[in-house]
Amino acid sequence: MTAMSKEELAAMPVEFKLNGKEVVGYGNETIIQAAKRYGVEIPHLCYKEGLRPDGNCRACMVEIKGERVLAPSCCRNPAPGMEVTSDSARALASQKMVLELLLADMPEERHTLDSELDHWAAKLKLGKPRFAAREQPKADLSHFGIAVDLDSCIQCTRCVRACREEQVNDVIGYAFRGEHSKIVFDFDDPMGESSCVACGECVQACPTGALMPARGAGLIKPDKQVHSVCPFCGVGCQLTYNIKDNKILYVDGRDGPSNHGRLCVKGRYGFDYVNHKQRLTKPLIRKPGAPKAADFTMDPANPLEHFREASWEEALALAGGGLKSIRDTRGSKALCGFGSAKGTSEEAYLFQKLVRVGFGSNNVDHCTRLCHASSVAALMEGVGSGAVSNQVSDVMHAEVIFLIGANPTSNHPVAATWIKNAVKKGAKLIYADPRRGDIARHAAHYLQFKADTDVALLNAMMHTIVHEGLVDKAFIKSRTLGYEELRKNVEGYSPEAMAPVCGIPAETIRVVARLYAKAKGSIILWGMGVSQHIHGTDNARCLIALCMMTGQIGRPGCGLHPLRGQNNVQGASDSGLIPMVFPDYQRVDNAEARARFEKLWGATLDPKPGLTVVEIMDAVHEGQIRGMYIMGENPAMSDPDAHHARAALAKLEHLVVQEIFLTETCYYADVILPATAWPEKTGTVTNTDRMVQLGRQALDAPGEAKPDLWIIQEIARRLGLDWNYAGAKEVFNEMRLAMPSIAGITWERLEQESCVTYPCENEGDPGQPVVFVEKFQTPTGRAQLVPADVIPAAERPDREFPYVLITGRQLEHWHTGAMTRRASVLDAIEPEPTALVHPLDLEAIGAEPGDVISVASRRGVVSLHARADDGTPRGAVFIPFCYYEAAANLLTNPALDPVGKIPEFKYCAVKLMKGGELAPRSSYGGGQTMAALKAG
Amino acid sequence: MKKPGNGSSSGKKGNTRKPKSTNGAGDSSSRLDPAIARWLVAAVAEFPASRSSTIPMLQSAQTALGYLPGDAMRAIARHLGVAPAVVEGVASFYAQFRFNAPGKHRVTVCSGTACYVRGSGKLMEDIQADLHIAPGGTTADGSISLESVSCFGACALAPVVVLDDKVLRQQTSASMKKVIQELSAGPPKGRTRSARSAPAARGARK
């Protein structure tokens, strides 16, 4: 028999007495937890399940036989034979006194409807407190999302622990002394001016309403609560909407498997876009004579300037009829469709089916092409599956976390909290990114390598691993193919040779390579810094090879995890919103797969892979593609070389856009169909962890806006398809027939559990959080190692354009900003476009932080405010791509990775100049929604 | 609302205010006040980057700068890799740390038991009224800082006021009014020779 570990010993059952009854607790739980299980209520305030017990409020004192003093039950573990009393006169007197003292300090008017202090005071039948109140601190209403009313604060430090230990944002502290002690933000700054990232975890933790959603949202009793999933990033946090009169009052984090109650600023404060006055509520038809040109703009607040309202019947007849006539006169290949990773998987599935069956080609794609197409290409080739091998939460089991080309504190904030938690627990973080994100603070090794040199850095790491004998020979022999070629290839990439290329000292490369290879478990997480290059596939191939040669896969706490960007990019890709594959990545040029889908769908299918996002735009310019149906995508903002993309959209004979706002893409539409926002519909989304989660309808759609599934079917009807899906459930059931990976997931189970991880091939399967345990999904069952050589970016800086432009996202804004720039809090925090430049580079062009600068590439120029940021490397500028007024994609280079067909968003040559003329302000953004709210 | 000039790669606000290079004296030290920069360069070399250096580093800053300017506290948080709020928490807990530049002269009123029964409470109130500042504050012209101390240990001389390092015995509101008037008018010779001014005075004689 093996010896028991400390943890196992601590988890052993313990028999003890609670209020005279024999009970069984566990050595690793506290008395208050055991009591709760037995239905014994002990008052508590500073204790909250999930947070470290602190024992500071003393409301949970209990008597333990044989002990001189009372003990806080939130901090004590039961011991065998212990006799605990929580309701003796002595314990009660103590509990009541604590509550009464705190109650005396509470303001007349509470800031919350459910103060835990009031709850316990009522339970213990406390009357009016006998003590004088303290001098009350003033309210701090400096933050757009959070109201700070320290008159209700009981100094329980739940917010401090939520901020510092749970989310590890390190903003809230506890300062001053004695009666003056209070919580502070940074250096006792007003919250709105502190480094607070508004994750709202402190609000969720506060028991008394001292921290609350701003503008009294917490003082209204909701009509109903609806459990759903966050519509922003790929982490897939579960949440609960609190709704009153068809409006979301506020949002709470829910205990889902990927977030355990945590949210970020977008998931908590980013929902009032659904009520924005610019929502599309009626079908719109372009007026005759409304110009179509790349630089045509219009005011989203005033659609009737260039469009007229129409009935659904008329709009659908025009939308569907236009597509049908192009198909019938120009052929299937003259049409294409862009679906969206922001909709549900059912919508994605139906949309690609419409294109494949109704249009008759595979010209269907979506924004996965722009984010992780290269990662997916490399993964399909290497391991036979485009999804992650291990879930984000596995970082908690890893010894080493290798994070490259990602800025999770901005883009996957809740995933970042798990990484930070893992580091606090002892894991070593190796962080490699040309831009220093905030998470660098937690890294054991931060490698600020030169942009575009990923392959050099990774090959040098592999060189070290080969030369120091750190490879896993048994794994390579039994589970991989192509190691010899890989080994020979990395021979040419010694750390010494690569150090000047990637800018990281050879010894550092060796140290991190050893760390990665030797750890019991090393997990790799990567983002778009890896994928959005013309060598994005090669970058990902290197990561796969690194993982395989060291056998860091197939167990908890290791593996490969491309952090997926959008809430449903995994689900939309799985559902076949990709030109070369049917649902579940079954290739369209595979006759067997095609036969299966022809049988399922009762139609003849095109055996030729379709065109990708950027190729489609080129095909429009070449006159091949004449008509397009876009559901929820915004290529006018998200495509590289946006002017080229906009010109393509303008050139189309027929463009149908299904949207919730008049986006920049709608400017070129012939018909605009008003659709539903995420909280207004039901359907599934699949997060970065392969978790299929159910989003539930919480609100009624405004005006005549219709569910997307309904719209797709109406278009299908007008193309001669007789589809009659009653709702998401019916579509999902068909998807189960088409996709073996989710065949075992029933709709009923989703309704019950909200989340099921795939692969789940048979009903009742628990789902597999870790895959590739025994074999890979390639035809051979082995991982294919593919060597990669250094390929420089398509457009390098030169004398005329000496800087590198890096594009990406900001914490507060989502994708092209259509939603978040209309969400009051998010827009108020980040109201306008900025360019992030190193302070010394700013000095070099003679500009001060806050000055207007112009950034120009060979394709365009934008003017915007400069922000000093010493996390951006010298010689580079970072511009978020969500601002129409200074659209970063007017500058980017449409050069493509040859395999993944992903454009090089992370690298093009630009020049910086002081000065320039700012574009006129739009009718949304710029803090206007918040200003209107505050004005009432 | 985020000002365009401030911020960082991660969206955290105010990071030009709170620089985050790992090497303590990063690029932004060039924009620091020269006195703070001088102290910072020496302090970063002297104190290991661990949480246990918090108090020694705060003390070092106060010794060098006379008080704890915000930039110095930020630099300490950054060098030690701890949350700014932690540095704030520690510094604000101890009475020894001050957050405003001290006045040229320091007036410390004893509030110990003996002084209190001899009227130091009223004395303090009157001094506050004369100076228009609260204990811990400094007059607008920067001439006088007012502080209180719990017991100076000179109970026989109660009520005691300490002016810089000179003990003033058995003070009254009237006598203090006079002292304050003289201080505001400029240091009369020989009256306020303090430890701080002494070396300067010696230097002047040479």
Side-chain angles (χ1 to χ4, degrees):
Chain A
M1 191 179 149
T2 52
M4 283 178 84
S5 72
K6 255 191 196 161
E7 287 82 26
E8 283 171 317
L9 269 175
M12 295 294 277
V14 172
E15 288 173 33
F16 71 107
K17 260 190 180 168
L18 178 64
N19 295 349
K21 280 198 196 117
E22 289 288 348
V23 297
V24 181
Y26 296 94
N28 60 355
E29 70 177 357
T30 54
I31 293 173
I32 203 169
Q33 286 172 317
K36 197 176 173 200
R37 270 192 294 112
Y38 282 93
V40 174
E41 285 198 319
I42 304 174
H44 57 270
L45 293 165
C46 75
Y47 166 74
K48 183 175 187 257
E49 193 68 52
L51 293 176
R52 173 182 57 77
D54 199 46
N56 67 57
C57 79
R58 312 316 252 192
C60 69
M61 302 304 273
V62 292
E63 215 173 340
I64 297 174
K65 196 177 173 189
E67 294 190 7
R68 189 176 57 84
V69 294
L70 300 176
S73 58
C74 70
C75 291
R76 277 292 288 273
N77 307 108
M82 197 181 244
E83 290 183 34
V84 180
T85 325
S86 69
D87 56 359
S88 67
R90 191 177 161 217
L92 278 174
S94 170
Q95 294 165 5
K96 281 182 169 176
M97 178 57 85
V98 165
L99 296 176
E100 187 179 353
L101 281 163
L102 292 172
L103 212 52
D105 285 342
M106 286 299 107
E108 278 292 309
E109 276 183 33
R110 303 292 199 256
H111 305 290
T112 175
L113 291 178
D114 37 19
S115 160
E116 290 179 30
L117 178 55
D118 290 340
H119 166 82
W120 291 114
K123 278 246 153 161
L124 268 62
K125 301 195 172 60
L126 276 177
K128 206 172 153 31
R130 293 163 288 172
F131 310 108
R134 66 182 162 194
E135 198 183 315
Q136 292 291 19
K138 280 202 197 89
D140 169 5
L141 303 178
S142 58
H143 197 277
F144 295 109
I146 300 170
V148 185
D149 288 292
L150 293 188
D151 55 3
S152 288
C153 179
I154 57 167
Q155 286 91 34
C156 68
T157 71
R158 266 157 63 160
C159 57
V160 179
R161 282 171 279 157
C163 181
R164 297 243 299 269
E165 295 172 23
E166 199 175 347
Q167 287 260 356
V168 204
N169 286 327
D170 281 347
V171 178
I172 307 186
Y174 195 64
F176 301 99
R177 187 174 59 245
E179 61 172 336
H180 301 293
S181 59
K182 64 166 191 165
I183 61 155
V184 293
F185 307 99
D186 291 343
F187 295 105
D188 198 15
D189 297 322
M191 188 187 216
E193 286 164 33
S194 73
S195 62
C196 170
V197 292
C199 68
E201 203 66 42
C202 55
V203 176
Q204 195 159 302
C206 181
T208 55
L211 295 160
M212 283 300 281
R215 292 171 297 285
L219 283 172
I220 304 167
K221 198 169 166 49
D223 308 327
K224 60 172 178 178
Q225 292 192 317
V226 178
H227 301 313
S228 189
V229 191
C230 176
F232 292 105
C233 81
V235 175
C237 300
Q238 290 192 16
L239 48 76
T240 302
Y241 303 116
N242 294 280
I243 295 153
K244 169 92 176 166
D245 299 336
N246 206 38
K247 273 195 178 172
I248 295 171
L249 288 171
Y250 58 96
V251 170
D252 290 314
R254 188 169 177 243
D255 189 6
S258 68
N259 67 315
H260 293 289
R262 302 176 185 186
L263 292 174
C264 75
V265 62
K266 292 189 286 287
R268 214 179 288 270
Y269 302 110
F271 284 94
D272 59 354
Y273 72 89
V274 299
N275 303 113
H276 195 275
K277 58 179 192 285
Q278 292 181 358
R279 270 298 292 276
L280 297 171
T281 56
K282 282 200 167 148
L284 297 171
I285 291 176
R286 194 178 198 86
K287 284 183 185 168
K292 271 200 183 192
D295 52 4
F296 171 71
T297 67
M298 55 182 289
D299 181 359
N302 189 14
L304 298 185
E305 194 183 342
H306 297 290
F307 287 85
R308 67 176 173 86
E309 288 177 350
S311 68
W312 269 105
E313 198 42 54
E314 187 192 4
L316 286 168
L318 181 62
L323 295 170
K324 183 167 184 291
S325 104
I326 292 176
R327 181 192 66 184
D328 295 346
T329 56
R330 305 267 183 186
S332 292
K333 300 277 163 72
L335 288 180
C336 71
F338 285 170
S340 172
K342 300 234 53 75
T344 66
S345 296
E346 293 74 32
E347 289 158 12
Y349 174 85
L350 219 51
F351 189 88
Q352 59 88 34
K353 186 176 167 184
L354 172 77
V355 172
R356 295 197 153 108
V357 178
F359 293 2
S361 81
N362 291 307
N363 287 341
V364 61
D365 207 354
H366 74 296
C367 56
T368 189
R369 192 63 46 212
L370 309 177
C371 62
H372 264 308
S374 49
S375 308
V376 171
L379 285 166
M380 290 300 292
E381 163 194 77
V383 297
S385 157
V388 301
S389 75
N390 294 57
Q391 302 183 328
V392 174
S393 53
D394 255 24
V395 295
M396 298 302 276
H397 308 295
E399 249 179 48
V400 169
I401 302 162
F402 183 30
L403 176 69
I404 176 165
N407 186 9
T409 45
S410 283
N411 299 332
H412 303 86
V414 172
T417 67
W418 300 118
I419 297 174
K420 293 185 275 188
N421 291 160
V423 171
K424 284 210 157 195
K425 241 184 88 190
K428 284 217 156 61
L429 172 65
I430 304 168
Y431 178 37
D433 196 307
R435 284 184 70 230
R436 188 181 63 229
D438 239 26
I439 204 155
R441 219 156 46 85
H442 303 272
H445 297 278
Y446 169 57
L447 315 181
Q448 190 164 30
F449 67 100
K450 291 183 194 163
D452 193 44
T453 63
D454 317 60
V455 171
L457 173 68
L458 296 170
N459 274 351
M461 282 175 70
M462 286 193 265
H463 183 277
T464 304
I465 289 167
V466 170
H467 275 252
E468 300 192 1
L470 302 174
V471 293
D472 184 340
K473 283 185 190 141
F475 187 91
I476 290 170
K477 191 155 175 255
S478 62
R479 306 273 315 261
T480 70
L481 293 171
Y483 175 69
E484 248 337 278
E485 293 76 18
L486 180 81
R487 191 190 61 74
K488 277 187 208 139
N489 187 63
V490 299
E491 263 318 295
Y493 292 89
S494 71
E496 276 71 22
M498 289 305 106
V501 178
C502 64
I504 301 297
E507 191 46 34
T508 308
I509 298 176
R510 287 212 172 83
V511 168
V512 298
R514 285 175 205 136
L515 208 55
Y516 175 83
K518 285 183 180 170
K520 271 192 208 143
S522 290
I523 184 168
I524 303 178
L525 299 114
W526 74 92
M528 268 141 246
V530 164
S531 61
Q532 289 176 336
H533 288 282
I534 56 161
H535 47 80
T537 307
D538 282 342
N539 293 350
R541 282 170 172 156
C542 288
L543 292 172
I544 295 165
L546 183 65
C547 172
M548 297 302 153
M549 74 197 303
T550 50
Q552 295 283 17
I553 196 152
R555 311 181 300 274
C558 62
L560 294 162
H561 191 119
L563 283 158
R564 306 309 300 257
Q566 308 230 9
N567 62 328
N568 196 33
V569 70
Q570 188 66 54
S573 303
D574 296 346
S575 308
L577 219 49
I578 298 180
M580 40 291 228
V581 294
F582 294 124
D584 245 7
Y585 306 95
Q586 307 174 58
R587 289 203 59 100
V588 296
D589 46 14
N590 175 327
E592 224 176 282
R594 204 169 53 250
R596 263 199 307 277
F597 279 95
E598 286 183 339
K599 190 167 162 228
L600 180 69
W601 292 341
T604 317
L605 298 171
D606 182 4
K608 202 169 161 282
L611 299 176
T612 60
V613 168
V614 181
E615 290 171 337
I616 283 175
M617 293 304 180
D618 291 339
V620 176
H621 280 288
E622 286 156 20
Q624 282 175 41
I625 285 186
R626 309 276 178 145
M628 197 184 294
Y629 176 20
I630 299 180
M631 173 178 76
E633 287 253 301
N634 194 4
M637 284 291 287
S638 63
D639 273 21
D641 191 3
H643 190 83
H644 176 85
R646 289 172 189 179
L649 294 170
K651 189 166 184 251
L652 286 166
E653 282 170 22
H654 187 59
L655 173 60
V656 179
V657 183
Q658 181 172 326
E659 254 304 346
I660 60 171
F661 291 110
L662 196 106
T663 61
E664 295 75 6
T665 298
C666 291
Y667 298 175
Y668 312 98
D670 294 281
V671 189
I672 302 173
L673 306 172
T676 39
W678 173 248
E680 297 159 1
K681 59 192 173 191
T682 293
T684 67
V685 284
T686 305
N687 75 350
T688 189
D689 290 330
R690 289 182 271 105
M691 296 169 183
V692 179
Q693 307 200 87
L694 186 61
R696 297 174 177 86
Q697 183 180 351
L699 303 174
D700 299 326
E704 293 175 27
K706 290 281 189 186
D708 295 76
L709 281 181
W710 181 88
I711 303 174
I712 300 168
Q713 293 192 72
E714 290 300 317
I715 297 278
R717 287 217 180 100
R718 280 150 186 88
L719 289 165
L721 300 168
D722 184 26
W723 286 359
N724 282 298
Y725 299 91
K729 180 180 169 179
E730 278 191 28
V731 180
F732 184 80
N733 282 337
E734 182 178 313
M735 288 164 67
R736 289 175 59 199
L737 301 175
M739 301 163 66
S741 63
I742 61 161
I745 305 178
T746 64
W747 191 260
E748 290 68 28
R749 185 170 169 196
L750 282 171
E751 281 181 331
Q752 205 168 27
E753 298 175 19
S754 296
C755 170
V756 182
T757 297
Y758 81 76
C760 176
E761 296 180 0
N762 301 299
E763 277 185 35
D765 279 0
Q768 298 169 33
V770 178
V771 293
F772 311 140
V773 177
E774 274 159 11
K775 65 183 188 66
F776 294 97
Q777 276 159 263
T778 49
T780 56
R782 286 162 173 261
Q784 179 67 48
L785 305 184
V786 183
D789 284 310
V790 171
I791 301 169
E795 186 183 61
R796 306 275 306 168
D798 53 25
R799 274 172 73 176
E800 196 189 346
F801 297 96
Y803 286 85
V804 175
L805 170 68
I806 305 173
T807 67
R809 292 207 317 253
Q810 280 173 314
L811 171 63
E812 287 82 1
H813 287 301
W814 179 258
H815 210 235
T816 62
M819 289 149 64
T820 51
R821 294 200 68 206
R822 290 178 175 92
S824 58
V825 172
L826 303 177
D827 171 45
I829 299 175
E830 269 302 357
E832 54 193 7
T834 47
L836 275 61
V837 186
H838 193 281
L840 296 178
D841 281 341
L842 264 190
E843 248 177 72
I845 62 163
E848 294 273 330
D851 282 354
V852 174
I853 62 167
S854 297
V855 183
S857 79
R858 289 183 174 85
R859 292 156 294 278
V861 56
V862 298
S863 298
L864 65 180
H865 290 286
R867 182 178 284 178
D869 171 35
D870 62 4
T872 299
R874 294 293 311 268
V877 50
F878 176 83
I879 305 182
F881 66 93
C882 61
Y883 298 95
Y884 182 71
E885 304 91 310
N889 278 325
L890 288 171
L891 311 177
T892 48
N893 185 1
L896 297 185
D897 174 293
V899 188
K901 310 277 183 181
I902 191 168
E904 195 155 53
F905 287 118
K906 292 287 186 245
Y907 204 99
C908 76
V910 293
K911 60 182 165 188
L912 305 187
M913 296 150 291
K914 191 185 167 184
E917 200 175 325
L918 292 179
R921 198 177 235 206
S922 182
S923 57
Y924 65 97
Q928 294 176 68
T929 316
M930 178 60 70
L933 263 185
K934 286 199 163 173
Chain B
M1 196 175 291
K2 245 179 238 187
K3 290 176 198 84
N6 284 333
S8 77
S9 31
S10 62
K12 261 209 166 192
K13 274 192 284 177
N15 270 316
T16 41
R17 220 166 45 86
K18 190 181 69 171
K20 19 156 231 177
S21 157
T22 43
N23 60 3
D27 299 314
S28 1
S29 62
S30 59
R31 288 187 298 276
L32 281 179
D33 176 81
I36 299 177
R38 256 196 319 277
W39 159 77
L40 182 57
V41 170
V44 163
E46 182 180 351
F47 298 101
S50 89
R51 202 185 162 122
S52 56
S53 301
T54 310
I55 292 177
M57 214 167 161
L58 285 166
Q59 286 168 327
S60 143
Q62 180 153 299
T63 308
L65 307 165
Y67 73 112
L68 295 174
D71 280 345
M73 304 243 294
R74 264 166 227 128
I76 291 171
R78 172 165 142 171
H79 174 60
L80 303 183
V82 301
V86 168
V87 176
E88 171 75 11
V90 170
S92 66
F93 182 83
Y94 292 101
Q96 60 170 299
F97 294 118
R98 38 189 311 144
F99 302 97
N100 298 304
K104 217 155 131 199
H105 300 285
R106 182 195 289 188
V107 172
T108 309
V109 181
C110 181
S111 63
T113 315
C115 289
Y116 190 80
V117 299
R118 302 274 300 183
S120 75
K122 174 80 170 59
L123 183 62
M124 182 59 142
E125 276 174 28
D126 290 341
I127 296 173
Q128 285 184 48
D130 285 346
L131 292 175
H132 306 292
I133 52 172
T138 301
T139 53
D141 65 355
S143 64
I144 300 170
S145 292
L146 180 62
E147 279 167 21
S148 103
V149 65
S150 287
C151 179
F152 195 74
C155 305
L157 309 178
V160 164
V161 173
V162 184
L163 173 60
D164 296 326
D165 59 356
K166 187 178 166 66
V167 178
L168 309 180
R169 58 170 63 194
Q170 290 160 344
Q171 289 299 302
T172 62
S173 297
S175 66
M176 276 311 295
K177 201 172 201 108
K178 218 173 130 204
V179 170
I180 287 165
Q181 269 167 5
E182 283 172 10
L183 287 179
S184 306
K189 275 165 207 162
R191 234 358 247 280
T192 59
R193 193 174 160 269
S194 69
R196 198 181 302 150
S197 59
R202 272 202 303 278
R205 269 202 298 278
K206 267 178 196 169

